[in-house]
Amino acid sequence: MFEERMIRKTHHMTGPGQTSSCCQHLKPSASLAGAASVIIGHPLDTVKVFGFFKGMSFPLASIAVYNSVVFGVFSNTQRFLSQHHCREPEASQSRTLSDLLLASMVAGVVSVGLGAPVDLIKIRLQMQTQPFREANLALKPRAVALGKQPVYQGPVHCIATIVRTEGLAGMYRGVGAMLLRDVPGYCLYFIPYVFLNDWITPEACTGPNPCAVWLAGGMAGAISWGTATPMDVVKSRLQADGVYLNKYKGVLDCISQSYQKEGLKVFFRGITVNAVRGFPMSAAMFLGYELSLQAIRGDHTVTNP
């Protein structure tokens, strides 16, 4: 019985038998959900800097594409694997878990390809709103110290400056740390959501239950972001590096220097903020996604009987 419920409820994220229209449904629903999560979570994401919504325009503008692709990759990969196994006589819980694991890992890899430049721009724009302490950058920002204008005048100028000074590869600074953060991070994002949502949703419900989706999504986000904090610290330091000086040679060098200067506790700096931020962001993300997808499918059913 449990296995049947798991298969049925993991399928409802993409819609069994709706392969041709799946991507059309996923794009607007994931876009709306992503925008909601950015607006809710961004103030907590920038709580360490001056100006809660600094640097929000770029992630908000790109979140439609990002979430459409990430949710689409996860859902379609999971559905492909499920359809591949449907020829077999029985689907086990372990097989369902392995499908979710593989789909989450693929989504994590794809998310890095799309999200690394977005994250880099956000970090660069956020970091120039406050003077960094010596422990973080070993020197005050030039703009603050000399009273001049910030290095970057906006997202477009930031992109142009990075490409000009660091090359196209500079847009993917910190990609190694981001892979180490996002691949396991998405596994601890989608899998807990599916299992918690299945556990909380009443047996009689055939569609998404808003309370269950909200709670399961929030808990999954808190788990994912809390456990991702160590590599998020490393990723952020690597992406902030290179504006005023180059401190780190790579992921291992960043970990080594950070540990030697600040101890093990540095890798858990901001874990509370990350977990607290992860709950409302992910709750809004999954709730917006599930409800908008349900509404779109309902409209599709009416207009195209």
Side-chain angles (χ1 to χ4, degrees):
M1 178 62 70
F2 178 80
E3 290 81 357
E4 293 177 356
R5 292 180 63 196
M6 283 299 304
I7 294 170
R8 183 178 69 250
K9 293 192 176 184
T10 53
H11 278 187
H12 93 266
M13 294 184 69
T14 56
Q18 298 185 18
T19 305
S20 60
S21 61
C22 177
C23 291
Q24 295 177 355
H25 292 156
L26 286 170
K27 289 180 180 179
S29 56
S31 301
L32 293 171
S37 71
V38 170
I39 293 172
I40 290 174
H42 199 82
L44 286 172
D45 189 31
T46 57
V47 72
K48 298 186 291 296
V49 301
F50 178 81
F52 272 2
F53 293 94
K54 183 69 175 178
M56 191 182 78
S57 59
F58 189 70
L60 185 59
S62 58
I63 200 68
V65 175
Y66 178 83
N67 281 287
S68 294
V69 173
V70 171
F71 270 74
V73 167
F74 169 78
S75 300
N76 284 288
T77 301
Q78 193 274 331
R79 191 183 69 253
F80 170 79
L81 294 172
S82 297
Q83 290 176 346
H84 176 71
H85 296 319
C86 71
R87 301 185 185 92
E88 301 178 7
E90 292 184 1
S92 64
Q93 180 183 351
S94 61
R95 179 153 294 161
T96 301
L97 179 59
S98 65
D99 290 351
L100 290 172
L101 181 64
L102 182 56
S104 300
M105 292 175 68
V106 173
V109 172
V110 172
S111 75
V112 172
L114 292 174
V118 177
D119 239 25
L120 177 68
I121 303 305
K122 184 181 71 172
I123 291 291
R124 293 288 178 90
L125 291 175
Q126 288 175 346
M127 65 176 286
Q128 62 185 5
T129 62
Q130 68 166 2
F132 271 21
R133 297 177 180 177
E134 184 177 354
N136 287 339
L137 203 56
L139 124 136
K140 292 183 178 180
R142 191 179 305 158
V144 177
L146 301 180
K148 296 183 179 180
Q149 291 183 343
V151 176
Y152 308 117
Q153 304 305 315
V156 176
H157 181 255
C158 183
I159 295 172
T161 303
I162 292 173
V163 173
R164 185 178 66 252
T165 58
E166 304 176 47
L168 190 61
M171 294 296 296
Y172 286 88
R173 179 183 289 270
V175 69
M178 199 168 180
L179 277 169
L180 294 173
R181 183 196 73 173
D182 284 5
V183 173
Y186 271 105
C187 292
L188 293 173
Y189 186 64
F190 286 116
I191 295 176
Y193 168 74
V194 171
F195 278 89
L196 287 171
N197 189 35
D198 175 79
W199 180 56
I200 298 171
T201 302
E203 180 68 28
C205 291
T206 57
N209 179 275
C211 292
V213 170
W214 182 85
L215 185 58
M219 293 176 66
I223 293 170
S224 178
W225 275 105
T227 55
T229 296
M231 290 313 303
D232 187 54
V233 171
V234 176
K235 186 270 309 177
S236 297
R237 292 190 171 205
L238 287 171
Q239 289 182 327
D241 196 31
V243 181
Y244 307 107
L245 79 166
N246 288 297
K247 287 182 60 179
Y248 309 117
K249 299 178 181 178
V251 175
L252 294 178
D253 184 53
C254 180
I255 294 174
S256 177
Q257 288 195 43
S258 300
Y259 175 74
Q260 290 176 4
K261 294 180 180 179
E262 301 171 67
L264 188 62
K265 63 181 181 181
V266 68
F267 300 109
F268 298 94
R269 182 175 294 170
I271 187 171
T272 302
V273 172
N274 282 341
V276 170
R277 178 193 65 172
F279 191 100
M281 278 185 65
S282 298
M285 170 72 76
F286 280 107
L287 185 60
Y289 172 79
E290 295 281 13
L291 295 182
S292 59
L293 185 61
Q294 185 183 41
I296 292 170
R297 283 175 176 166
D299 293 341
H300 180 79
T301 303
V302 173
T303 56
N304 297 282

